[in-house]
Amino acid sequence: MRLKNHITHILLLVALALPATGLYGQDNGLRVLSGTVTDETGAPLSGALVRTANGKNEIVTGRDGSYTIRIADRSSHLVVSFPGYGDRIVEAEPLKAVSVRLEPDITGADMVIDMGYTRQNRNSITGAVASVRGEQLEKYPVANLSQTFVGNFTGLTSMEVFSELSSASVWNIIRGNSTINGRDPVVVIDGVICPNTNFDYITPQEIESISILKDASTTALYGIQGANGIISIRTKRGHAGPTRVGVYFSQSLQQMTRRPKFINSARYAELRNEAGYNDGRGAYSQFTQQQVENYRSGADRQLYPDNDYYGMFMRDFANMQQAGVNVTGGRRES
């Protein structure tokens, strides 16, 4: 009988403790909020970042612009951001759907600029910086990353010196031939200096933003290494939310903008003889008159060929295809 009374008392204490535990959870600020994010026209924004004011909880909106965020850091407000739009701060009201409408940020004041080692708002930067988001670079169907820089950064001179279908060599010059050690700017990827040109193999789909630091005030943090300017690349980050699979495919055609003009073998022989004559070696110092006639007649192309190797091996158009898959998602344990 006494054992039965003890069990009854224990169960009663547990029952009384359960409501207290629920109130304790509410006091800790643990709550779940849902809503949608739309643009100025009311269309849903997929990929918008919804985070708490304290920055410990975040979620990315789905394809229909909806989100469900778990708040466990006592934040009373949510911050909603999307590239090209101004940030919006809304009150995290419990038991109410929090729908947010974002407006385009024409001035770019809310845009965060990656400076390599640090990040700052655009309106707080006084130095010369040019920045472009990765979405802008995705529009260019080119072989490597450096080719997308052309025309996107003020103060950056890009010159393509070598090109193949799958690769290209591009000179990027920010401050000219300023040092005896070369003119290549320093490339910083996620705060780490890249020692070579392997950054060209990063696809624009992996990039969040690229910043060009051009003057002394913005490159002072790098010391003498920043003499030729800084190219700062920030890759995309994973955010808590459902798994998102993105597939991209592009197909493009490459064509020469200028095809060099060639002369035939007979004319080449005549010009070589003319050069020898100007040097005082005689009229037929390089090729005899009979050889020139054989090149011109084309009777024996085995001994006197007239080949246009450029036309034989170079096509008028070259087809280039690119394909890839990006998988993002994850969760944050509180």
Side-chain angles (χ1 to χ4, degrees):
M1 188 69 179
R2 182 177 298 177
L3 179 61
K4 185 176 181 181
N5 290 334
H6 282 302
I7 295 176
T8 303
H9 292 160
I10 293 174
L11 293 176
L12 181 61
L13 291 175
V14 171
L16 292 175
L18 288 176
T21 303
L23 294 175
Y24 182 77
Q26 293 292 332
D27 291 340
N28 275 343
L30 177 61
R31 56 194 187 276
V32 178
L33 296 180
S34 300
T36 58
V37 180
T38 59
D39 60 8
E40 71 279 9
T41 64
L45 284 177
S46 174
L49 179 62
V50 181
R51 66 182 187 275
T52 57
N54 293 335
K56 293 184 178 180
N57 304 115
E58 60 182 27
I59 196 73
V60 176
T61 58
R63 182 171 298 180
D64 57 351
S66 63
Y67 70 91
T68 300
I69 186 171
R70 181 172 178 266
I71 303 176
D73 60 357
R74 295 181 175 273
S75 294
S76 59
H77 291 81
L78 297 177
V79 181
V80 184
S81 59
F82 188 81
Y85 290 79
D87 294 351
R88 181 83 181 274
I89 301 176
V90 295
E91 185 177 357
E93 301 182 16
L95 305 178
K96 181 180 179 181
V98 181
S99 299
V100 182
R101 179 176 177 175
L102 299 182
E103 298 292 337
D105 185 16
I106 301 176
T107 62
D110 290 334
M111 185 176 181
V112 179
I113 305 298
D114 180 55
M115 308 286 287
Y117 293 151
T118 61
R119 302 187 73 198
Q120 299 180 21
N121 289 331
R122 179 182 288 276
N123 55 8
S124 64
I125 298 176
T126 58
V129 178
S131 182
V132 169
R133 297 197 62 85
E135 290 81 0
Q136 176 68 22
L137 304 180
E138 293 179 10
K139 302 177 182 179
Y140 297 86
V142 292
N144 60 18
L145 183 62
S146 292
Q147 292 177 292
T148 64
F149 293 174
V150 180
N152 282 311
F153 298 96
T154 57
L156 176 67
T157 301
S158 297
M159 181 183 303
E160 186 173 323
V161 295
F162 176 78
S163 180
E164 289 183 356
L165 185 59
S166 60
S167 64
S169 178
V170 180
W171 286 350
N172 293 311
I173 306 173
I174 298 177
R175 306 183 68 179
N177 294 323
S178 55
T179 68
I180 61 175
N181 294 325
R183 56 191 171 191
D184 296 332
V186 173
V187 179
V188 180
I189 302 177
D190 292 334
V192 179
I193 294 179
C194 182
N196 47 42
T197 58
N198 287 342
F199 74 94
D200 274 335
Y201 296 100
I202 302 176
T203 62
Q205 287 77 13
E206 302 175 73
I207 293 176
E208 179 179 319
S209 65
I210 297 180
S211 302
I212 304 295
L213 315 183
K214 298 178 284 188
D215 64 350
S217 62
T218 56
T219 60
L221 187 62
Y222 299 89
I224 192 63
Q225 295 183 91
N228 293 329
I230 303 294
I231 299 178
S232 178
I233 302 175
R234 179 179 174 84
T235 58
K236 291 181 179 179
R237 301 294 194 271
H239 298 285
T243 302
R244 299 163 56 90
V245 180
V247 180
Y248 63 90
F249 176 81
S250 66
Q251 182 172 354
S252 59
L253 296 176
Q254 288 184 334
Q255 181 184 18
M256 292 181 297
T257 57
R258 184 178 61 183
R259 187 186 182 97
K261 296 181 179 180
F262 290 92
I263 59 176
N264 56 30
S265 55
R267 182 56 180 162
Y268 172 78
E270 291 176 348
L271 292 176
R272 287 290 304 273
N273 285 337
E274 184 178 340
Y277 177 79
N278 293 334
D279 291 339
R281 298 182 179 181
Y284 296 97
S285 60
Q286 307 300 316
F287 295 90
T288 65
Q289 186 175 4
Q290 184 61 43
Q291 288 176 327
V292 175
E293 291 298 330
N294 291 337
Y295 279 118
R296 182 178 291 109
S297 65
D300 188 358
R301 286 307 184 192
Q302 296 294 329
L303 295 178
Y304 302 96
D306 186 21
N307 297 323
D308 181 9
Y309 291 105
Y310 199 92
M312 293 168 60
F313 292 101
M314 298 296 293
R315 299 179 179 177
D316 294 333
F317 298 95
N319 186 25
M320 182 174 63
Q321 297 178 346
Q322 289 182 326
V325 178
N326 289 332
V327 180
T328 59
R331 62 181 182 178
R332 174 175 292 178
E333 300 292 342
S334 61

